[in-house]
Amino acid sequence: MRVLYDGRVEEYRAVWMEGKKIKCIDQRVLPENFVIREIKNTDEACKAIKSMMVRGAPTIGATAAYAMAQAYLLGEDLAKTANALKKTRPTAHDLFHAIDLVLNSSDPVEEAEKYVESIVERCRLIGKHGESLLNDHAHILTHCNAGALASVDIGTALAPIRMAHYSGKSLHVYVDETRPRLQGARLTAWELKNEGIEHTIIADNAAGYYMWKGKIDIVIVGADRVACNGDVANKVGTLEKAVIAKEFGVKFYVAFPSSTVDPKAKFGAEIPIEERDEKEVLEIAGTRIAPEGSRAKNPAFDITPAKYIDGYITEYGIIDACGIKKFITHLVAKTK
Ligand code: MRU
C-alpha cells in the first residue's frame, strides 16, 4: 500500500516476514504515528492479534501463518503454537484457515509465504472484478477498515475503490467512523488520504441520513466470516447499514477472499461473535465518558442475513444474491 511518510511515498504491507522475525505496522497508533513493530515469538504474535496491533480477517490470517512459520524456524511445538493462536480472536475465519494450512504442510515457511502471496493476489482480483461496479463520480459508503491494513495489501472492500481510482475514475468515499475502535476514522481515512482518494468521515449513525438523502450510490464492506447460506459476519454496525440500504434501494455488496468462507457454518447464527472489553465502549482514548457504575456490552461483529446483500465480490468474480449458495457449495467441494 502507498504510505506517505516523512515527506516520502513508500510501499508497505500490513505484515511481512524478515528472517525469523515478523514485522508489522502497529495499527493501534495510526494515524498519529507510523510505527513498525517486530514480533519475535508465538507469545508476541498472540498479543499482536489480541490487542489489534494487527487486525482485519486476512491480515490476522497472514500474521498467524507467519507465526506458525516462525515457530517452526525456532524449533517450537507447532501444535502448541496453533492452539495459542486459535484462542486470540474467535470470529475471523481466515485465522483458523491459515493456521490449519500451515500446520498440515511439510514446509511451514514456504506454505506461509505462499498463503500470504495468495491473499494479496485474491485482493487484486477482488479489485479488478469489483471496479466494474463503480461508475465515474460514484459515492461509496464503507464501514470499518477493509483496506490494505486489514488484508496485507490492496484490501477487500477498498480494492475496487483503489482500482477504480487508479484507472482514473473520480470517487467519493463516505467513511463510517466505526465505534468503538474507530477503524474507519483512523485507518480507512488514513489509507484513502495516502492514495489521494476524496473522502468524508461520518458518525456511524449518520449513514442512514445520507442514504435517505440519495448521497450514496453503493455500499461495500468486508467480511470476517461468511456462512454457507451467504450470511455475513462483519464489524458491528454492518447489519443496520444493510437494512437501511435495502429500504432506500442502495446496492449493498460484501467483498472477501474465499479464505473467509467457513464451510462448517451453515448459517450466520453458527458464527461465533467476539465480545470485547466493555472499556472500549465506556472510554474514548483512555478517558471514561460514561457515569461510574454504568456497564456496557461490546460485540465486535454482527451478522447480516443474506437477504440484505445484493452481491458478493470475490477473487472468482461478482456473485449475485441468487448464486451465492451454489458458489459456496462449489468452493467447499473444490477445497476438500
Ligand atoms: O475487529 P477488526 O478491526 O479486526 O474487524 C475488521 C472487520 O470487521 C473488517 O471489515 C473485516 O475483517 C474485513 S477485512 C478485509
Side-chain angles (χ1 to χ4, degrees), residues 73-89:
L73 290 171
L74 296 174
E76 288 169 2
D77 180 344
L78 284 196
K80 259 192 179 164
T81 294
N83 272 338
L85 288 165
K86 283 185 181 181
K87 288 190 188 124
T88 53
R89 295 195 71 190

Side-chain angles (χ1 to χ4, degrees), residues 32-51:
E32 298 87 355
N33 299 298
F34 180 73
V35 180
I36 306 299
R37 306 260 184 222
E38 271 184 17
I39 297 170
K40 293 186 283 306
N41 52 46
T42 299
D43 192 38
E44 290 185 8
C46 291
K47 282 188 183 137
I49 296 172
K50 246 189 171 132
S51 69

Side-chain angles (χ1 to χ4, degrees), residues 8 10 58 75 90 109 122 128 130-131 139 180 192-193 195 209 212-213 226 228 288 298 303 311 313-314 325 330:
R8 293 189 304 274
E10 289 179 3
V109 180
R122 286 170 204 194
K128 187 172 151 244
E131 192 208 322
H139 284 60
L192 294 172
K193 184 173 175 242
E195 292 286 359
Y209 171 66
W212 170 78
K213 272 188 84 135
V226 179
C228 296
R288 190 166 174 107
N298 187 14
I303 303 290
I313 314 169
T314 75
K325 276 196 205 158
H330 280 311

Side-chain angles (χ1 to χ4, degrees), residues 45 67 71 94 157 179 187 229 249 263 267 280 306 308 321:
D94 302 58
R179 278 278 292 150
L187 308 177
N229 70 339
F267 311 101
E280 291 182 350
Y308 294 108

Side-chain angles (χ1 to χ4, degrees), residues 148-317:
L149 288 167
S151 52
V152 185
D153 206 356
I154 307 171
T156 56
L158 287 198
I161 295 170
R162 275 202 159 86
M163 297 300 181
H165 171 72
Y166 295 156
S167 58
K169 291 181 194 168
S170 156
L171 308 169
H172 193 102
V173 185
Y174 283 88
V175 179
D176 286 340
E177 63 172 350
T178 318
R179 278 278 292 150
R181 298 281 301 213
L182 304 175
Q183 290 95 329
R186 296 192 302 108
L187 308 177
T188 300
W190 182 76
E191 286 195 38
L192 294 172
K193 184 173 175 242
N194 283 336
E195 292 286 359
I197 299 174
E198 234 185 80
H199 61 280
T200 306
I201 300 164
I202 57 172
D204 292 328
N205 36 14
Y209 171 66
Y210 284 108
M211 284 198 249
W212 170 78
K213 272 188 84 135
K215 292 280 185 200
I216 291 162
D217 302 310
I218 183 170
V219 183
I220 312 181
V221 298
D224 286 85
R225 200 183 285 227
V226 179
C228 296
N229 70 339
D231 290 353
V232 167
N234 191 48
K235 180 54 57 196
V236 70
T238 302
L239 167 62
E240 63 203 54
K241 307 304 176 272
V243 175
I244 299 169
K246 191 155 199 93
E247 176 64 27
F248 293 112
V250 177
K251 294 280 176 219
F252 188 95
Y253 283 86
V254 184
F256 57 89
S258 52
S259 51
T260 304
V261 174
D262 180 359
K264 291 200 196 101
K266 284 198 231 60
F267 311 101
E270 293 178 7
I271 298 175
I273 299 292
E274 177 181 9
E275 271 285 340
R276 293 187 64 87
D277 194 325
E278 64 173 357
K279 272 193 186 160
E280 291 182 350
V281 174
L282 296 171
E283 297 177 354
I284 291 185
T287 303
R288 190 166 174 107
I289 51 158
E292 283 305 330
S294 292
R295 303 295 308 269
K297 284 270 188 202
N298 187 14
F301 304 97
D302 60 24
I303 303 290
T304 300
K307 69 173 182 180
Y308 294 108
I309 300 168
D310 292 293
Y312 301 80
I313 314 169
T314 75
E315 70 262 36
Y316 297 102

